[in-house]
Amino acid sequence: MNNILIVSLFGEINNVNSRVYKIAYAFSSKISFVTPDFSHGEKIYKKSCEIKSEKVFVQHLHVPSYSANLSLKRIYSHLVFAFRLRLYLQRLESKPDLIICLMPTSSAAYVCGQYSRKNGIMFVIDVIDLWPDSLIPLVKNNAIIKKLLMPWQALTNKAYRLATYISAESSAYALTAHVINPKVPWSYTYLGVNVAQTRKLIDRNTSDIKRPNNQIVLCYGGSLGNSYDFDSVVAAVKNIQEKGFNYKMFFVGDGEKREFIEEYSKRNNLNIEITGRVSYPDYLKYLSICDIGFNTFKQETKVVHSYKFNDYVACGLFIFNNLPGETADMIEKYNVGVNFTVQNLSEKLINVCQNWDKFKLYRNNLESLIKDELDSETIYKKLVDNILKAKVQ
């Protein structure tokens, strides 16, 4: 297989912790990577529209910018990407042997699927989030928006049916697509961690990021968006302050909920610091100086496994988690943290803080979790082997 095309709206091919990087470099073939010229994470345009390397050729397609994760401008930007992707594929002089499209978005996957079916190309869908399913909890009381999501769901299902192989970042996501398209082979590959690469990025980082002395250091890493349950986290932090614990809480990221967190923190005089958007090495450096990481989402979310969970594991954190399913099972099976609900988060956080000398020993179990479930080099090699076997069949 000499010509592989990967399409994704998210993730940077030069970021060693990005899923697209891990998939691309698990193949021995050269890769063409097509992605927007606008960075979803940083909300800025990327510096170059075309990058070449020995391993990967990167083509950026121009799209409109947007500032809010939940907005019509974002949807419009994704639709423009799909339209320009269709033109890009039509103009290819040499057809790919394999196309891999990470979902979301549904529109880009549908375009790739149609092109693949027309040209007899193996088409792999890799589900990293369930759209529009993940949006439903955010609009559950808005009947009009829920009706508007129905055509979107239909497009998603059409994209699933065009796949000749289904991949996903969790078993639950893979099964969701497999139910729609049960005749094709499927597998799941967790986002994964590479501890050696993570440690290298942290050790080489020269930013002046230091651990606070004699404190239990808490953190949340990632977007401060509307999908996450910050109300429960800041309320729990307030409770441990009232109990007299010596702590520091970092929110490593930025987003729509920043103002809410800042106002709550100021009103209650909490020891909270919001870093704003930082580079990935700085992000890892912040996590590495912390003890406890919050993997917290709004109730009824469709997410079952998150990037931040894998980052917490790679950085050796004790994890407070409220995602049900596979992530909760990992927490319990390997004893690397605590599963919580809105109702018991404060109680469980107080218990851990009171007994931190005992709880911090649980982090030793992270090595077993990584070895058994999350080692990037092992699990992505297995994904590539499965795809190539399916291609031969």
Side-chain angles (χ1 to χ4, degrees):
M1 192 170 291
N2 300 317
N3 190 356
I4 298 173
L5 176 66
I6 299 178
V7 177
S8 178
L9 278 81
F10 314 104
E12 295 300 327
I13 201 74
N14 59 345
N15 180 345
V16 297
N17 201 55
S18 169
R19 187 168 178 88
V20 292
Y21 175 96
K22 293 172 182 176
I23 292 175
Y25 283 84
F27 283 96
S28 58
S29 310
K30 291 185 179 181
I31 305 292
S32 295
F33 178 54
V34 182
T35 191
D37 65 349
F38 180 73
S39 170
H40 169 74
E42 297 179 326
K43 300 296 187 292
I44 59 174
Y45 280 103
K46 300 168 186 176
K47 292 181 180 179
S48 174
C49 285
E50 191 172 301
I51 305 168
K52 291 183 180 179
S53 70
E54 291 185 4
K55 171 70 179 178
V56 177
F57 170 84
V58 180
Q59 179 64 53
H60 289 127
L61 303 182
H62 180 62
V63 297
S65 63
Y66 54 89
S67 57
N69 285 348
L70 289 174
S71 65
L72 291 176
K73 281 187 175 181
R74 180 181 179 184
I75 295 173
Y76 175 66
S77 181
H78 293 342
L79 291 174
V80 170
F81 177 78
F83 174 76
R84 291 187 170 151
L85 173 64
R86 183 172 178 268
L87 294 178
Y88 174 84
L89 293 172
Q90 289 175 345
R91 293 168 182 166
L92 284 177
E93 294 182 3
S94 178
K95 292 182 175 58
D97 300 308
L98 166 67
I99 295 179
I100 301 173
C101 184
L102 281 69
M103 290 183 68
T105 66
S106 309
S107 53
Y110 181 69
V111 166
C112 288
Q114 280 193 317
Y115 176 83
S116 298
R117 177 167 289 186
K118 180 179 178 181
N119 292 281
I121 297 169
M122 183 179 186
F123 175 46
V124 177
I125 278 179
D126 183 58
V127 185
I128 59 172
D129 199 356
L130 296 176
W131 280 15
D133 311 54
S134 297
L135 303 178
I136 292 174
L138 305 180
V139 297
K140 60 183 179 180
N141 296 321
N142 192 321
I144 295 176
I145 294 180
K146 287 182 73 173
K147 286 183 178 180
L148 292 175
L149 292 179
M150 293 175 66
W152 190 347
Q153 185 65 64
L155 182 65
T156 297
N157 292 344
K158 286 181 179 179
Y160 289 157
R161 292 189 186 100
L162 290 168
T164 54
Y165 188 99
I166 292 170
S167 166
E169 62 99 83
S170 69
S171 175
Y173 286 3
L175 286 169
T176 298
H178 173 65
V179 167
I180 304 300
N181 185 1
K183 296 182 179 180
V184 301
W186 65 280
S187 66
Y188 64 95
T189 304
Y190 289 120
L191 298 170
V193 300
N194 186 317
V195 175
Q197 287 180 340
T198 299
R199 179 46 55 189
K200 189 181 294 184
L201 288 173
I202 293 170
D203 291 343
R204 289 179 178 177
N205 186 287
T206 58
S207 300
D208 187 27
I209 300 170
K210 297 179 180 178
R211 178 183 168 86
N213 293 325
N214 304 315
Q215 293 177 319
I216 295 177
V217 187
L218 317 171
C219 73
Y220 167 88
S223 169
L224 306 184
N226 291 303
S227 301
Y228 307 98
D229 180 17
F230 298 118
D231 301 65
S232 299
V233 172
V234 293
V237 171
K238 178 185 175 185
N239 282 338
I240 65 170
Q241 176 162 295
E242 291 172 348
K243 293 289 184 180
F245 291 104
N246 190 16
Y247 75 94
K248 171 83 174 190
M249 174 80 194
F250 288 102
F251 285 87
V252 189
D254 209 342
E256 298 96 332
K257 299 293 288 185
R258 176 172 184 160
E259 185 177 348
F260 160 75
I261 297 167
E262 286 176 332
E263 290 179 353
Y264 189 97
S265 176
K266 184 177 181 180
R267 187 165 64 250
N268 294 283
N269 197 30
L270 304 181
N271 190 12
I272 285 176
E273 178 180 337
I274 302 176
T275 67
R277 202 175 304 280
V278 298
S279 68
Y280 188 65
D282 282 356
Y283 167 81
L284 293 177
K285 186 71 172 285
Y286 272 110
L287 297 191
S288 73
I289 66 169
C290 298
D291 300 306
I292 296 170
F294 288 95
N295 189 48
T296 176
F297 290 75
K298 284 190 174 179
Q299 286 184 303
E300 300 178 13
T301 180
K302 297 293 183 178
V303 176
V304 296
H305 194 69
S306 69
Y307 277 98
K308 62 175 59 63
F309 173 79
N310 290 266
D311 290 330
Y312 293 163
V313 170
C315 292
L317 299 186
F318 187 84
I319 301 166
F320 268 72
N321 167 69
N322 75 340
L323 284 181
E326 292 161 73
T327 299
D329 293 344
M330 285 184 189
I331 293 282
E332 186 173 338
K333 178 179 178 180
Y334 292 95
N335 207 7
V336 294
V338 170
N339 293 314
F340 71 88
T341 64
V342 172
Q343 292 75 22
N344 64 22
L345 173 56
S346 290
E347 176 187 345
K348 290 196 172 187
L349 184 58
I350 289 170
N351 180 47
V352 169
C353 291
Q354 285 176 333
N355 300 282
W356 180 238
D357 285 341
K358 178 184 72 171
F359 276 97
K360 67 183 180 182
L361 298 176
Y362 291 4
R363 289 185 298 174
N364 297 332
N365 299 327
L366 289 169
E367 186 174 335
S368 296
L369 169 58
I370 294 168
K371 180 182 177 182
D372 294 349
E373 308 271 5
L374 300 177
D375 180 70
S376 290
E377 291 191 8
T378 300
I379 62 179
Y380 282 91
K381 183 180 183 301
K382 183 178 178 182
L383 170 62
V384 169
D385 288 343
N386 287 338
I387 291 173
L388 295 179
K389 287 176 183 176
K391 173 67 175 177
V392 171
Q393 295 172 359

